[in-house]
Amino acid sequence: MVKRKTAIKIRKAHRYLGIFLGIQFLMWTISGMYFSWTDIDEIHGDQFRQDPVEASAFTHLISPSDVNPEEGIVSVELREIDGNPYYWINDKQLFDAKTGKVKKVISESEALKIAERNMLPELQVKGIERIEQVGSHSEYRGRPLPAYVISYETSENIKAYVSEKDGAFQTLRHRDWRWFDFLWMTHTMDYEGRDDFNTIVLRTFSLLGLITVLSGFLLWYISSPTIRKIKKRNKKH
């Protein structure tokens, strides 16, 4: 049998580990329940977007090869900005698809038109703002900057994002997405950027969690009357 002092040490280790890890275990449980009970499409905000976005047909376009970008064409995409066609070439620059003229950035009014084309028509615009930088915890982190942020008059605090350089509708954010993002941060324990699933903190807590569970099994084993009876019976034989 395990000595009494050793059993006491195991109980203390199990108790203190449980206290230390308890809050994080609770957050893992709460966030896991939230993830499993929510519709990921609703978290993405699909219910606030036009689906599909109506595509326009254009005629009398010049060939992309006539645009004369600084380097050869690797990729080209036709985009509509405020009813006009543009080529987005090599993921670097916009060109007017009818004149070949370079378009350096889109305007605020064009950003509003792009958002209008992608969002539900009943949503009312509250305001628009141009942003040049965001923090590591921003809801727009990891996306092209500068960008325009279009806010809407809703209880869900909806914001749509349109990048200034390429005129692309980037994403939308709303209240439920922000809750999801916060809980995702507590789930992954990435308190710097929220998106890294391989943090040292997460690995450490996972290992300590395993130790806590194993110590619990060990405590059951050394304190179980049934196990003691079995051992006594085996000694007699």
Side-chain angles (χ1 to χ4, degrees):
M1 293 294 292
V2 177
K3 293 181 179 179
R4 181 175 176 79
K5 288 185 178 180
T6 303
I8 291 174
K9 288 181 180 179
I10 295 173
R11 285 192 179 91
K12 284 184 176 180
H14 180 77
R15 185 184 306 123
Y16 289 127
L17 279 172
I19 294 172
F20 180 65
L21 299 174
I23 295 176
Q24 183 56 44
F25 279 5
L26 181 62
M27 293 308 301
W28 278 336
T29 302
I30 293 173
S31 58
M33 290 174 63
Y34 184 82
F35 299 153
S36 64
W37 287 353
T38 53
D39 185 335
I40 193 62
D41 292 328
E42 290 185 0
I43 296 299
H44 290 159
D46 291 355
Q47 68 274 28
F48 303 118
R49 297 189 60 175
Q50 297 196 53
D51 184 29
V53 176
E54 185 177 350
S56 300
F58 298 101
T59 58
H60 307 295
L61 305 182
I62 65 173
S63 170
S65 60
D66 294 333
V67 170
N68 294 323
E70 295 179 357
E71 55 193 50
I73 297 176
V74 176
S75 64
V76 60
E77 181 182 346
L78 181 63
R79 294 185 177 177
E80 178 182 344
I81 299 176
D82 194 11
N84 298 310
Y86 289 88
Y87 291 130
W88 174 241
I89 295 181
N90 296 343
D91 292 327
K92 289 183 177 181
Q93 188 65 62
L94 282 172
F95 294 88
D96 190 305
K98 289 188 175 182
T99 66
K101 184 179 179 180
V102 174
K103 186 174 184 62
K104 294 183 178 180
V105 294
I106 66 168
S107 65
E108 184 176 290
S109 61
E110 288 172 330
L112 286 170
K113 287 292 185 181
I114 292 168
E116 179 184 327
R117 188 164 176 260
N118 284 270
M119 303 292 286
L120 293 178
E122 57 265 29
L123 294 173
Q124 299 297 314
V125 174
K126 180 180 179 181
I128 183 170
E129 176 188 3
R130 182 179 180 272
I131 56 174
E132 295 184 354
Q133 58 184 8
V134 296
S136 59
H137 287 268
S138 168
E139 63 186 28
Y140 188 68
R141 61 186 180 274
R143 292 180 179 270
L145 289 166
Y148 288 102
V149 189
I150 299 94
S151 303
Y152 294 88
E153 290 276 7
T154 63
S155 59
E156 292 87 357
N157 192 19
I158 301 172
K159 295 181 184 294
Y161 292 85
V162 178
S163 51
E164 183 186 62
K165 186 174 178 62
D166 63 357
F169 184 93
Q170 290 293 325
T171 190
L172 72 87
R173 298 293 185 240
H174 59 106
R175 182 188 57 210
D176 290 347
W177 184 95
R178 296 182 186 100
W179 273 112
F180 187 98
D181 189 47
F182 172 76
L183 291 173
W184 180 253
M185 176 186 69
T186 65
H187 201 79
T188 63
M189 301 190 74
D190 178 13
Y191 299 110
E192 293 184 2
R194 301 195 178 195
D195 297 315
D196 187 0
F197 207 79
N198 297 299
T199 62
I200 297 298
V201 178
L202 179 61
R203 291 174 179 176
T204 301
F205 268 71
S206 299
L207 181 60
L208 290 174
L210 178 62
I211 293 173
T212 303
V213 172
L214 293 177
S215 66
F217 283 132
L218 181 58
L219 279 175
W220 170 81
Y221 179 79
I222 64 178
S223 61
S224 171
T226 303
I227 298 297
R228 289 176 182 174
K229 289 179 181 179
I230 293 174
K231 285 188 175 184
K232 286 182 180 179
R233 192 179 302 134
N234 290 337
K235 284 183 179 180
K236 290 181 181 179
H237 293 290

